[in-house]
Amino acid sequence: MNNQQLTAIASAFAIQGDILSIKQLGEGFINDTYIVTTTDGNPNYILQRKNHNVFPDVAGMMDNIAAVTAHIKAKVADPLRHTLTVIPALDGKLYVERDGNFWAMCLFIEGSKSYERADSLQLAYQGGVGIGRFQSLLADFTTPLNETIKGFHNIRHRFNQWDEAIAADRASRVAELTEEIEWIESRRKTMLDFWSLVESGVIPMRVTHNDTKISNILFDEATDRVLCAIDLDTVMTSTSLNDFGDAIRSYTNTGAEDDTDLDNVNMNIDMFRAYAEGYLSERQSTMTESEIEWLAFSGLYITFEQVLRFLMDYIDGDRYYKIAYPTHNLVRTHAQYKLLRSMEEQYDDMRRIVVNLLS
Ligand code: ADP
Ligand code: GN1
Ligand code: MG
């Protein structure tokens, strides 16, 4: 995508000022993100090409984001920094379509920073506050949301996809993955039993973020206090436990998501405590008994799901996640499985910490 094309797309949105530069930001697994700077005195913007294979209904996704952010804006002290601001296109739509690609824009939040890893307990605590607050601000949001990715954190749906992927064996990799496949199969029943509690309503449905890794939180550059949750593409109705679990998967990992040295990868229980403390400070009074009971387990659940998703994508010939080298998804599978094992070993301690924080 050259600069001229990017400028044409950015100019189709209702921006203020003249465009000075458009530069790629980070390397997301799913979308392509650019920062658009403009002439002095005007805001800067985030321009994003939304992955149309992952999000077939970009219009529905943008409707979700606009509704949820409008709801939050009405409640927070600083509406331009405490949530995303969607910038509509000049034709009034919330996205621009060009050559089969879908683009969306939001305000760049100045004086913010994000992290790829949680490098202090304070940061983990703040991240927990961020997601706890996000869920609390949306507790009274009643408009139905579009299900933009079917069965996103629904392990029954994931197992259906898994069974199909194994049967199809598109990349002829199943035969060499006996051990890894057993990691998934040996936990099938435990994970489905948990999900039955969601299906039967024992665990309630709420408005959730669904992608709560640390890079999807903005922190104040000056104070490192949380500003808001970003990357709202996956906002949907689900269990709040998924948001907690996905954050635990990300914040507590002492290694990288794709670490090739498994000795680096473990769950840091102090990070777990710090994140849980921040989260509960915002959510404790509104959680049900069942949510409290299963809070620690949610870390294992989402990490297991991530092992399944990375492995399934590898089996499928790497169609979902962007990869940097041919075995990338397999490396991610092994690294996330190591994290899952570490969580399983420390599960009793995780449960005790939740009980202690609540007493
Ligand atoms: P991806 O889907 O690729 O993960 P994100 O929406 O998470 O895309 O954006 C990638 C990164 O860009 C974030 O981690 C953050 O550093 C930065 N970013 C995204 N939106 C904003 C924003 N509105 N203001 C400031 N920085 C942002
Ligand atoms: C993707 O878009 P990004 O990089 O924040 C993925 C998450 C995974 C994550 C793994 C829509 O998140 O579900 O947990 O990668 N998002 C989607 O790092 O599938
Ligand atoms: Mg992101």
Side-chain angles (χ1 to χ4, degrees), residues 15-21 36-45 110:
I15 58 175
Q16 295 170 30
D18 298 325
I19 295 170
L20 287 180
S21 69
V36 180
T37 60
T38 66
T39 36
D40 257 6
N42 293 294
N44 297 318
Y45 300 92
E110 300 291 343

Coordinates of all heavy atoms in Angstrom, one line a residue, residues 15-21 36-45 110:
I15 N -11.8 14.1 8.6 CA -10.7 14.6 9.5 C -10.5 16.1 9.4 O -10.9 16.7 8.5 CB -9.3 13.9 9.1 CG1 -9.0 14.1 7.6 CG2 -9.4 12.4 9.4 CD1 -7.6 13.6 7.3
Q16 N -9.8 16.6 10.5 CA -9.5 18.0 10.5 C -8.1 18.2 10.1 O -7.2 17.4 10.5 CB -9.7 18.6 11.9 CG -11.1 18.5 12.4 CD -11.2 18.8 13.9 OE1 -10.4 19.6 14.5 NE2 -12.2 18.3 14.6
G17 N -7.8 19.3 9.4 CA -6.4 19.6 9.1 C -5.9 18.9 7.8 O -6.7 18.1 7.2
D18 N -4.7 19.2 7.4 CA -4.1 18.5 6.2 C -3.2 17.4 6.7 O -2.5 17.5 7.7 CB -3.3 19.5 5.4 CG -4.2 20.6 4.9 OD1 -5.3 20.4 4.5 OD2 -3.7 21.8 4.9
I19 N -3.2 16.3 5.9 CA -2.3 15.2 6.3 C -0.9 15.5 6.0 O -0.5 15.9 5.0 CB -2.8 13.9 5.4 CG1 -4.2 13.6 5.8 CG2 -1.8 12.8 5.7 CD1 -4.8 12.5 4.9
L20 N -0.1 15.2 7.1 CA 1.4 15.4 7.0 C 2.1 14.1 6.7 O 3.0 14.0 5.9 CB 1.9 16.0 8.3 CG 1.7 17.5 8.6 CD1 2.3 17.8 9.9 CD2 2.2 18.3 7.5
S21 N 1.7 13.0 7.4 CA 2.4 11.7 7.2 C 1.4 10.6 7.5 O 0.5 10.8 8.3 CB 3.6 11.6 8.0 OG 3.3 11.6 9.4
V36 N -1.9 8.6 11.4 CA -2.0 9.7 10.4 C -1.8 11.0 11.2 O -2.5 11.3 12.1 CB -3.4 9.7 9.8 CG1 -3.6 10.9 8.8 CG2 -3.8 8.4 9.2
T37 N -0.7 11.7 10.8 CA -0.5 13.0 11.5 C -0.9 14.1 10.6 O -0.9 14.0 9.4 CB 1.0 13.2 11.9 OG1 1.8 13.2 10.6 CG2 1.5 12.1 12.8
T38 N -1.4 15.2 11.3 CA -1.9 16.3 10.5 C -1.3 17.6 10.9 O -0.5 17.6 11.9 CB -3.5 16.5 10.7 OG1 -3.7 16.8 12.1 CG2 -4.2 15.2 10.4
T39 N -1.6 18.7 10.2 CA -0.9 20.0 10.5 C -1.2 20.5 11.9 O -2.3 20.1 12.5 CB -1.5 21.0 9.4 OG1 -2.8 20.7 9.2 CG2 -0.7 20.9 8.1
D40 N -0.3 21.3 12.4 CA -0.4 21.8 13.8 C -1.7 22.2 14.2 O -2.5 22.9 13.5 CB 0.6 23.0 13.8 CG 1.9 22.7 14.5 OD1 2.0 21.4 14.8 OD2 2.7 23.6 14.8
G41 N -2.0 21.9 15.5 CA -3.3 22.3 16.0 C -4.5 21.4 15.7 O -5.6 21.6 16.2
N42 N -4.3 20.4 14.9 CA -5.3 19.5 14.6 C -5.0 18.1 15.2 O -3.9 17.8 15.5 CB -5.4 19.3 13.1 CG -5.9 20.6 12.4 OD1 -7.0 21.0 12.6 ND2 -5.0 21.2 11.6
P43 N -6.1 17.3 15.4 CA -5.8 16.0 16.0 C -5.1 15.0 15.0 O -5.1 15.3 13.8 CB -7.2 15.4 16.2 CG -8.2 16.4 15.8 CD -7.5 17.5 15.1
N44 N -4.4 14.0 15.6 CA -3.9 12.9 14.8 C -4.8 11.8 14.8 O -5.7 11.7 15.7 CB -2.5 12.5 15.3 CG -1.5 13.7 15.2 OD1 -1.5 14.4 14.1 ND2 -0.7 13.9 16.2
Y45 N -4.7 10.8 13.9 CA -5.7 9.8 13.8 C -5.0 8.4 13.7 O -3.9 8.3 13.2 CB -6.5 10.0 12.6 CG -7.3 11.3 12.6 CD1 -6.7 12.5 12.0 CD2 -8.5 11.4 13.2 CE1 -7.4 13.7 12.1 CE2 -9.2 12.6 13.3 CZ -8.6 13.8 12.7 OH -9.3 15.0 12.8
E110 N -3.5 11.2 22.3 CA -2.1 11.8 22.6 C -1.7 11.5 24.0 O -2.6 11.4 24.9 CB -2.2 13.3 22.4 CG -2.5 13.8 21.0 CD -1.5 13.4 19.9 OE1 -0.3 13.1 20.2 OE2 -1.8 13.4 18.7

